[in-house]
Amino acid sequence: MSEFRRPVRRPSASFDNFAGSAGAAEKSRIAHATAAALVARARADESGESTERLIAFTADHGLDEIAELWSAAPAVSLPGALWRLYLLQLAIHTDPQTAALLYERGRIELASADVVVAGAPAPASPDELVALIDQILRGAFRGDFAIALERAAAFCRVHASGATHVADDYEMTEPERASELTTRALRLSTYAKDLTACASAWRAGILT
């Protein structure tokens, strides 16, 4: 977690074995098809049970082969958007204490509307941040998908700001820790850009 690595459970079998000899084009097709099917199924289920299962899925199973496939999808695509949402969820669930520390520092330092857009309490406890990312993911499956992506992007920017400022604090005394936090901030900033672009594409009807 120190470098915000993809916190996924490695599957026992590779996707290559799962999908046979499918080439890159076929894997891309499957990635887009599975992402579209998951979103459509959740939105069609008025009971909300499908959405709750999708939110809880990573806690029980990791992301396994399908998520490994999504990780290769273009950043501005439906599977790319879902992959980044699930990465954020797993990262926060895995280390909510650090997430809360960095988010709070970012909330104090960042002079923008991102704190309001993300929608976390001020200050936010670790449990409240876990609830926030689950709420954002729930909104992606049942609410306005673009708004959910924008909230996730705002969260990333606040978190990235916090990681940057805490990295500055460690620069002289713990340079390795500072480097890890800087890497984390860069990754979060990239996620924010990707998710914002995905939100715009969704509104334009071209996110597939």
Side-chain angles (χ1 to χ4, degrees), residues 93-177:
H93 278 241
T94 300
D95 190 358
Q97 288 76 22
T98 298
L101 171 67
L102 297 181
Y103 189 90
E104 177 61 14
R105 182 63 179 274
R107 183 185 72 82
I108 294 171
E109 300 285 357
L110 190 62
S112 75
D114 286 318
V115 172
V116 176
V117 174
S125 70
D127 287 344
E128 286 171 331
L129 277 193
V130 168
L132 172 69
I133 194 60
D134 286 353
Q135 182 189 66
I136 290 173
L137 192 57
R138 187 176 290 110
F141 288 121
R142 289 186 61 80
D144 186 312
F145 192 73
I147 289 177
L149 296 181
E150 288 169 344
R151 291 185 67 191
F155 174 89
C156 287
R157 285 189 288 268
V158 176
H159 199 146
S161 174
T164 298
H165 283 89
V166 174
D168 290 343
D169 295 343
Y170 280 109
E171 185 64 39
M172 298 301 296
T173 58
E174 297 183 43
E176 290 186 2
R177 177 59 173 159

Side-chain angles (χ1 to χ4, degrees), residues 175-191:
E176 290 186 2
R177 177 59 173 159
S179 179
E180 291 171 354
L181 287 166
T182 299
T183 298
R184 181 174 183 146
L186 177 60
R187 189 164 300 160
L188 284 160
S189 295
T190 301
Y191 287 177

Side-chain angles (χ1 to χ4, degrees), residues 43-126:
R43 289 179 175 276
D45 182 3
E46 295 183 1
S47 71
E49 292 179 2
S50 294
T51 294
E52 296 308 312
R53 286 197 296 270
L54 288 170
I55 291 171
F57 181 80
T58 55
D60 296 332
H61 306 291
L63 296 186
D64 297 330
E65 291 92 345
I66 291 178
E68 287 299 311
L69 175 61
W70 286 355
S71 70
V76 184
S77 68
L78 185 57
L82 292 177
W83 175 242
R84 283 154 181 76
L85 288 177
Y86 271 122
L87 286 178
L88 287 173
Q89 186 202 37
L90 275 171
I92 296 167
H93 278 241
T94 300
D95 190 358
Q97 288 76 22
T98 298
L101 171 67
L102 297 181
Y103 189 90
E104 177 61 14
R105 182 63 179 274
R107 183 185 72 82
I108 294 171
E109 300 285 357
L110 190 62
S112 75
D114 286 318
V115 172
V116 176
V117 174
S125 70

